[in-house]
Amino acid sequence: MSKKINSASTLQRTIGKWWPVFMLPVLICFVIGFVWPFIQGIYLSFCNFRLVSDATFVGFDNYGKAFTDPSFGHSFWYTALYAVVSLVLINVLAFLVAYALTQGIKGSNLFRTVFFMPNLIGGIVLGYIWSMIFDGILSQYHTSILLNSTYGFWGLIILMCWQQIGYMMIIYIAGLQAVPEDILEAARIDGASRSQTLFKVVIPNMMPSFTICTFLTLINGFKLFDQNLALTGGQPFIIQPDGTTIKTTEMLALNIYNTFYGSNVTSQGVAQAKAVIFFILVAGLGLLQLSYTRKREVQQ
């Protein structure tokens, strides 16, 4: 017993002596790669600039232009609708697939691999692949996914379901396998039906998995960029009476990108302000979702 105590105290002293050697490089990289650019980005959102060295402070003008930009408002509501629809579809389908693959069917390991594989393909590549698939299907109607905003919306939904269901399925399978067997056995002894066991026992005990999956799908839905760029590029577009252009399938991240590389002299500052608003929105929604779902987790 004394040997274990001595070895534990020796380990603690060793960790206390050498932790700066391992932690400081990580901390320095974090500050250089994230903290400093983030702070600089917030500052630049209050400036007009082409180069960082030429930034001119203009106060809240960029934020005023961002909030009054009709394309930014459209992309916000379009992204919100997309995030809600994709969150529901991806999680429902991923849970159903995970539940089916944990019922002892033959070839379940093969099916898990096949469902997970689309997640390994890059977003840009997926966008171009599905663009060709959709245009091939719609060619018989003499139209394209780029010519109809409804097709573009559901095209993005189908693409992201195909890519993310397999990843969420793995998390749900882990949650299903972590449900205590003695609880399931007690439910069977009490005469609970299969549906009662699922909704009254399994799902409540899987809330940590639902917390993770809903968080990931919600955040991914709001910050979607590369698939949107490759599949529709924001097309089609409509021209407002005042001459401004709104891309009907343009999501928030793509709107910020297009604003930053716009021809307007102040476009970079406005895009930076939009990026700050975007960060606050996504961070706030993520924290609210985590707080809501964690309250419903069952303590085992």
Side-chain angles (χ1 to χ4, degrees):
M1 187 70 179
S2 60
K3 289 182 178 180
K4 291 183 179 180
I5 295 174
N6 291 333
S7 61
S9 60
T10 303
L11 179 61
Q12 290 177 352
R13 287 196 299 269
T14 303
I15 294 174
K17 180 179 179 180
W18 291 102
W19 75 265
V21 176
F22 300 99
M23 289 299 298
L24 284 179
V26 176
L27 182 61
I28 292 171
C29 292
F30 178 73
V31 171
I32 294 174
F34 178 78
V35 176
W36 171 243
F38 180 75
I39 294 173
Q40 191 177 44
I42 294 176
Y43 167 72
L44 290 174
S45 69
F46 295 97
C47 300
N48 286 338
F49 65 96
R50 281 291 183 183
L51 299 173
V52 175
S53 58
D54 299 330
T56 304
F57 188 80
V58 295
F60 286 93
D61 288 354
N62 291 331
Y63 286 91
K65 293 176 182 177
F67 282 116
T68 56
D69 183 358
S71 66
F72 188 60
H74 172 81
S75 64
F76 167 77
W77 291 112
Y78 186 84
T79 305
L81 177 62
Y82 167 83
V84 171
V85 174
S86 64
L87 184 149
V88 173
L89 287 179
I90 290 172
N91 283 282
V92 169
L93 294 175
F95 177 77
L96 292 176
V97 172
Y99 187 73
L101 294 180
T102 53
Q103 301 307 302
I105 64 175
K106 293 182 178 180
S108 59
N109 290 332
L110 175 62
F111 288 126
R112 293 178 190 182
T113 303
V114 171
F115 277 111
F116 183 78
M117 283 180 65
N119 190 70
L120 304 176
I121 305 174
I124 292 289
V125 177
L126 277 179
Y128 287 127
I129 290 173
W130 278 95
S131 178
M132 291 185 288
I133 293 173
F134 290 134
D135 283 339
I137 295 172
L138 296 173
S139 62
Q140 58 184 316
Y141 303 106
H142 305 288
T143 187
S144 168
I145 194 171
L146 301 178
L147 300 178
N148 189 299
S149 58
T150 301
Y151 292 154
F153 177 83
W154 288 107
L156 285 168
I157 292 292
I158 293 170
L159 186 158
M160 292 309 296
C161 285
W162 189 75
Q163 182 184 26
Q164 293 191 12
I165 282 175
Y167 185 82
M168 303 306 162
M169 172 202 70
I170 297 298
I171 298 175
Y172 283 129
I173 287 175
L176 285 165
Q177 292 176 339
V179 177
E181 184 61 33
D182 55 344
I183 297 178
L184 297 175
E185 185 177 356
R188 287 192 293 268
I189 293 173
D190 290 340
S193 65
R194 196 164 189 171
S195 61
Q196 288 175 326
T197 302
L198 175 62
F199 289 102
K200 299 295 184 180
V201 178
V202 175
I203 291 179
N205 281 277
M206 282 185 59
M207 280 309 297
S209 296
F210 284 105
T211 297
I212 296 170
C213 289
T214 52
F215 175 79
L216 291 175
T217 48
L218 180 66
I219 298 304
N220 289 338
F222 269 94
K223 67 183 184 69
L224 185 70
F225 172 74
D226 44 0
Q227 293 90 338
N228 187 202
L229 176 65
L231 186 65
T232 68
Q235 304 297 327
F237 62 87
I238 55 176
I239 300 177
Q240 298 287 88
D242 59 357
T244 57
T245 300
I246 294 179
K247 295 183 176 181
T248 56
T249 63
E250 182 183 64
M251 302 181 74
L252 279 172
L254 184 59
N255 179 266
I256 294 170
Y257 172 86
N258 288 332
T259 302
F260 190 89
Y261 290 102
S263 58
N264 196 311
V265 177
T266 62
S267 59
Q268 280 91 341
V270 176
Q272 198 64 49
K274 289 181 178 180
V276 174
I277 297 169
F278 180 56
F279 168 79
I280 294 172
L281 171 68
V282 174
L285 287 173
L287 291 174
L288 286 174
Q289 179 268 322
L290 286 174
S291 175
Y292 177 80
T293 52
R294 279 178 175 171
K295 290 178 181 178
R296 282 153 179 77
E297 292 183 3
V298 176
Q299 299 296 326
Q300 297 179 5

